[in-house]
Amino acid sequence: MDFASSSSSSTHQNELHALKFYRYHTTRKCWKHVTLREESDQRPLHHDIAIITWNIDFTGLQVIERMQGALEYLQHEILKGKTPPPCVILLQEVHSKAMIELRSNTWVRKHFYITPIDNLKWPYPNIYGNVTLIERSVSVKELVFYTLRRRALVTDIRLAPREPELYHGKRDVTVRVINTHLESLETGHGPVYRADQLFLCVELLKEESVYGGVIGGDFNAIDEDSTEQVRDYGLIDPGEPNEYTNEQESHTWGFHEKKPWKYPTGRLDKIIFTPRGELMVEAPDIFGQDAKTEEGDWVSDHFGLVTDLHL
C-alpha cells in the first residue's frame, strides 16, 4: 500500500525496458553488471526455490534503519543464517535513501544479484520503487524488463524439472517471476488501473518463451472482485482463505499504529501462479508480525509472505 498520487499512471504506459543485474565484486569493491548467462550456465539447476515478497513502506521515518531491520529479519528469521537457500526476494516501496543500505549490506553483497542498482529506473519522481534480489546459485536469464505503468520487475529463471519426460525431455524450463506493486488505494481510478495492471502481468506469464510463473507483491487488493480477478485470469492464489481459516489471519496490512483507520485490515499482499504442468507454489506463510528496528519501530506497515516454488 502507499498513498502517493497516481496521476502519472496510465493504461497506455506499458512499455518494457531492459534492465541489468548486478553482483558485488569483492576485489574491485563495487557493484558490477554481470553477464548472467555466462555465470548461470555453469551452475546446476534447482528444482525448488523460495519466493519472498515484502512491501517495506517508503512513507515511514528512519528508512535506512528500517531497511537494516528488514534485511536482518530476512537473514536470521526467514532464511535462517549466513548462507541463504535458493530464493528470490521481491521488495516494494524501497525508498531511494534505503538503496544505500541495500547496496552496502554485507549479506546482500555476498549472496545476491540485485536489480535495479539505483533509483534512476523507477517511475518519476524516483523516490521509491521495486527491487528484486536473486540468490546467486539461481540460474537467471539475461533479459529483465521493467514496466513503466506502475511498478513491475520481470525476471526469468531456469529450473530443472524433477521429471523431464513431463516436459518433452527438457532438462530445464524458464519460469517467470514478476515483482509487482499495483495501484494505490488513494486514486479514483484505482480499481480500473489495478485490474489492467494485473492483466498485463498475467499476459507476461503467458508468453511462449516461458513456462508460466509467479506474480508476487503488493496487490492493494481492496476491490470487491480482487479474488475473482485472479481466478478469472486463470491463476491460482494459494494464500486464499478457505472455510477452515480465520480470514483475518490471512491479512497482511493494517495492524500497526500508523494505520489510517478509514481502511480495515486486509490481505493486500499476494503470491499467485500459473497452474501449468508440475509447477506448484505452496500456501505462503505470513511473517514480520514482530519485525522491529533496534529502536523499536516497525520495519514496515506490511507483513511479508514466504513460500516455496516447486517444479
Side-chain angles (χ1 to χ4, degrees):
M1 182 174 187
D2 70 63
F3 300 97
S5 170
S6 301
S7 59
S8 62
S9 293
S10 166
T11 55
H12 301 292
Q13 291 181 318
N14 59 2
E15 299 143 8
L16 299 177
H17 295 268
L19 282 181
K20 297 178 180 179
F21 263 88
Y22 293 80
R23 66 171 293 177
Y24 189 76
H25 285 259
T26 54
T27 54
R28 300 180 183 179
K29 299 188 182 301
C30 64
W31 289 89
K32 288 287 187 180
H33 167 239
V34 294
T35 304
L36 292 171
R37 187 176 300 278
E38 293 178 359
E39 288 203 357
S40 61
D41 282 354
Q42 300 175 6
R43 294 192 172 98
L45 301 180
H46 300 294
H47 303 298
D48 315 289
I49 61 169
I51 304 288
I52 297 169
T53 182
W54 201 0
N55 179 323
I56 55 175
D57 184 18
F58 89 100
T59 63
L61 300 175
Q62 298 182 313
V63 294
I64 294 177
E65 290 81 1
R66 289 192 295 105
M67 175 59 81
Q68 291 172 340
L71 294 175
E72 286 286 322
Y73 195 91
L74 288 171
Q75 178 181 350
H76 299 294
E77 301 298 328
I78 306 304
L79 298 175
K80 305 294 185 182
K82 294 182 179 181
T83 303
C87 63
V88 179
I89 301 176
L90 314 175
L91 302 177
Q92 304 89 43
E93 287 197 41
V94 177
H95 197 286
S96 57
K97 294 180 180 178
M99 288 296 291
I100 300 171
E101 171 59 27
L102 195 60
R103 291 193 301 264
S104 63
N105 183 272
T106 302
W107 182 64
V108 172
R109 286 181 171 183
K110 185 174 181 180
H111 296 290
F112 291 92
Y113 297 118
I114 184 172
T115 190
I117 195 63
D118 54 42
N119 62 312
L120 298 180
K121 298 294 184 180
W122 292 338
Y124 180 82
N126 306 356
I127 297 172
Y128 69 99
N130 292 12
V131 174
T132 296
L133 302 175
I134 308 275
E135 193 273 323
R136 287 186 348 210
S137 73
V138 176
S139 178
V140 186
K141 285 204 166 183
E142 180 66 19
L143 295 180
V144 182
F145 298 94
Y146 182 81
T147 65
L148 289 180
R149 184 177 61 188
R150 197 56 174 174
R151 305 167 182 89
L153 292 175
V154 184
T155 307
D156 293 347
I157 62 176
R158 295 167 60 235
L159 297 176
R162 278 194 168 81
E163 301 182 55
E165 61 274 13
L166 299 178
Y167 300 84
H168 306 288
K170 292 182 179 179
R171 296 187 176 276
D172 68 272
V173 296
T174 299
V175 175
R176 180 160 284 174
V177 180
I178 300 179
N179 176 4
T180 194
H181 186 183
L182 303 186
E183 199 63 36
S184 170
L185 312 187
E186 287 288 289
T187 170
H189 299 290
V192 175
Y193 284 140
R194 282 188 286 275
D196 191 56
Q197 291 158 0
L198 180 58
F199 175 78
L200 171 64
C201 290
V202 173
E203 288 298 295
L204 290 170
L205 296 186
K206 294 180 179 179
E207 292 186 356
E208 292 184 3
S209 61
V210 299
Y211 190 83
V214 177
I215 306 171
D218 180 358
F219 283 52
N220 276 316
I222 61 161
D223 304 314
E224 292 184 359
D225 63 343
S226 293
T227 298
E228 287 72 22
Q229 283 179 20
V230 174
R231 297 172 182 166
D232 291 344
Y233 290 153
L235 271 67
I236 292 179
D237 179 356
E240 185 178 331
N242 55 45
E243 66 260 26
Y244 304 107
T245 304
N246 178 342
E247 184 175 352
Q248 192 175 40
E249 293 178 357
S250 68
H251 292 180
T252 59
W253 179 87
F255 297 95
H256 300 81
E257 293 92 335
K258 64 169 285 186
K259 182 178 81 69
W261 293 105
K262 62 181 176 178
Y263 294 113
T265 63
R267 192 169 69 97
L268 272 61
D269 306 86
K270 297 181 181 182
I271 298 175
I272 63 178
F273 71 99
T274 51
R276 185 177 181 189
E278 299 301 303
L279 178 65
M280 175 60 64
V281 175
E282 302 288 345
D285 293 323
I286 298 175
F287 68 83
Q289 297 91 330
D290 58 345
K292 292 189 176 183
T293 67
E294 293 182 356
E295 293 75 20
D297 298 311
W298 291 104
V299 164
S300 175
D301 59 345
H302 284 249
F303 299 148
L305 299 173
V306 57
T307 187
D308 290 315
L309 183 156
H310 307 290
L311 192 64

